[in-house]
Amino acid sequence: MRYAQGRTLTDVERARRERIRLEAVERFEGGEKSREIAAVLRVSERSVERWHQAWPECGKTGVACKGSPGRPRLSDVQIVRLERELERGPLVHGWADQRWTLARVKTLIGRLVLAAAGPAVHRAGRRGGRGMEEGDLAAGKSCAVEHGAWIVFEDEAGQSMTPPRARSWGRIGQTPVVRGRGSGRVSMAGMTCFKLGERSRLIYAIREYRGHKDEPKCFGWRDFRDLVVRARAQLGGPIVLVWDNARIHLTAAKREFIHANAGWLTMFQLPAYAPDLNPTEGIWSLVKRDIGNLTAADLGQVTRVVKHRLKKIHY
């Protein structure tokens, strides 16, 4: 490319880039059109139009590059020291898993008494959780208002010994590798509860599966029944329950339980596939973000980390 982009330009390359902008200004003064200028200078027409908008107000000063915001604030010596500490891994610095995020790198730099982290560590990042979108839940809302009930969204998730993959710092060409060891699974069931004028609540249950004989692998319909009963006791009022179409939710025994408790329990089902309508999905996203790249010694460690994270979200 003739008009170089990026954060690693030398001073000579930056000067060459500025000459292209100045040449564009001369062509503006000559009355040439943006499309013609872009073709001659081999830049995008959008860039030329942006320069043309800034040129009438400030002239050449408005067209000049403001400088790359991505130039590192750390010296070469500081970057070498930071890389050395990053290579030692997050465990050495007090984190439970093998994942470097931008927030953790900033904390590390603060501990090393360095300048604030900037684009020198721009490769680190975090992936946002799933959000809640508006859906056709008007019936459930009106029912909850009519009976003074809580709207309760229920969902389930699980986590094995293989950790969720998360973005982390690493040298170019040297991809960090994290391998999960062992068998077993941690099942999670949660309810996010909402009522106008009340603080929102999180009610959850956790179960370990270690592969033992006659040990249930996941939650059964009785477990969900007990969770709903516990939610009613904690919330102290009627419940409008909203959940997905998982097979366990469609059993005859579950429907009989709901019918028998129609005085305080009303059920609505989400569409066939609508994870973004269920805010409890966001809870699992927060939990798994915190255990990304976790190299657990055993299933008990996974359970402890999951419980700690859920309790933190609960509070």
Side-chain angles (χ1 to χ4, degrees):
M1 294 178 61
R2 181 173 179 180
Y3 187 77
Q5 301 282 356
R7 301 176 174 178
T8 59
L9 298 179
T10 64
D11 293 337
V12 175
E13 290 171 335
R14 292 191 183 92
R16 186 183 302 118
R17 189 172 64 171
E18 288 303 304
R19 285 198 296 271
I20 293 176
R21 291 178 177 240
L22 296 177
E23 185 177 346
V25 171
E26 295 176 357
R27 294 180 180 274
F28 292 153
E29 296 172 348
E32 296 186 27
K33 296 182 179 180
S34 298
R35 182 177 299 179
E36 299 172 353
I37 298 174
V40 173
L41 300 181
R42 295 169 59 188
V43 298
S44 67
E45 188 174 347
R46 184 177 179 181
S47 296
V48 176
E49 290 175 352
R50 187 172 62 250
W51 300 339
H52 193 275
Q53 292 175 358
W55 167 62
E57 298 179 1
C58 305
K60 294 183 179 181
T61 305
V63 178
C65 180
K66 304 299 187 299
S68 172
R71 304 188 70 176
R73 301 179 183 179
L74 306 181
S75 66
D76 294 339
V77 175
Q78 292 171 332
I79 291 177
V80 170
R81 184 184 177 192
L82 174 61
E83 289 179 347
R84 186 166 59 246
E85 295 300 324
L86 290 172
E87 288 174 345
R88 296 176 64 193
L91 286 174
V92 177
H93 296 283
W95 285 283
D97 54 52
Q98 294 286 356
R99 179 168 56 105
W100 280 119
T101 65
L102 182 58
R104 292 181 177 183
V105 174
K106 286 184 177 180
T107 302
L108 177 60
I109 292 176
R111 292 175 182 175
L112 298 176
V113 199
L114 299 178
V121 291
H122 70 278
R123 292 181 58 195
R126 293 176 294 177
R127 188 173 182 179
R130 191 176 298 170
M132 179 182 177
E133 298 178 358
E134 244 184 276
D136 188 16
L137 297 175
K141 292 180 181 178
S142 60
C143 181
V145 172
E146 181 181 349
H147 296 90
W150 288 78
I151 299 180
V152 177
F153 292 86
E154 194 277 339
D155 195 55
E156 316 84 45
Q159 179 57 50
S160 64
M161 290 289 291
T162 302
R165 289 186 298 176
R167 183 175 297 178
S168 179
W169 177 90
R171 291 189 178 277
I172 296 176
Q174 300 179 13
T175 304
V177 177
V178 178
R179 295 183 176 87
R181 297 180 179 179
S183 60
R185 180 178 178 84
V186 178
S187 297
M188 302 170 281
M191 293 180 169
T192 49
C193 315
F194 307 93
K195 184 179 180 181
L196 187 63
E198 300 281 348
R199 67 179 181 87
S200 57
R201 309 285 183 87
L202 172 63
I203 301 172
Y204 61 89
I206 296 176
R207 164 169 287 172
E208 282 187 352
Y209 171 71
R210 297 180 177 273
H212 298 161
K213 186 178 180 180
D214 298 329
E215 182 182 17
K217 190 172 184 179
C218 56
F219 290 99
W221 79 267
R222 292 182 178 84
D223 299 305
F224 290 114
R225 177 199 62 188
D226 296 342
L227 188 61
V228 172
V229 172
R230 180 155 65 94
R232 185 202 179 192
Q234 293 187 22
L235 299 174
I239 290 175
V240 174
L241 181 62
V242 183
W243 54 19
D244 56 24
N245 289 286
R247 185 176 301 177
I248 192 67
H249 298 160
L250 305 177
T251 60
K254 182 75 72 65
R255 292 186 177 277
E256 291 176 4
F257 165 74
I258 294 172
H259 180 73
N261 295 276
W264 59 270
L265 179 61
T266 305
M267 185 192 72
F268 289 90
Q269 285 184 286
L270 293 167
Y273 182 74
D276 290 336
L277 297 181
N278 194 338
T280 310
E281 291 278 0
I283 301 296
W284 312 138
S285 177
L286 291 173
V287 171
K288 295 195 176 187
R289 181 193 305 176
D290 206 47
I291 61 176
N293 298 352
L294 173 67
T295 52
D298 52 27
L299 188 63
Q301 183 179 354
V302 177
T303 304
R304 288 192 297 272
V305 174
V306 167
K307 284 184 176 180
H308 175 76
R309 184 56 174 161
L310 282 172
K311 183 177 289 188
K312 189 175 181 181
I313 297 172
H314 168 77
Y315 282 125

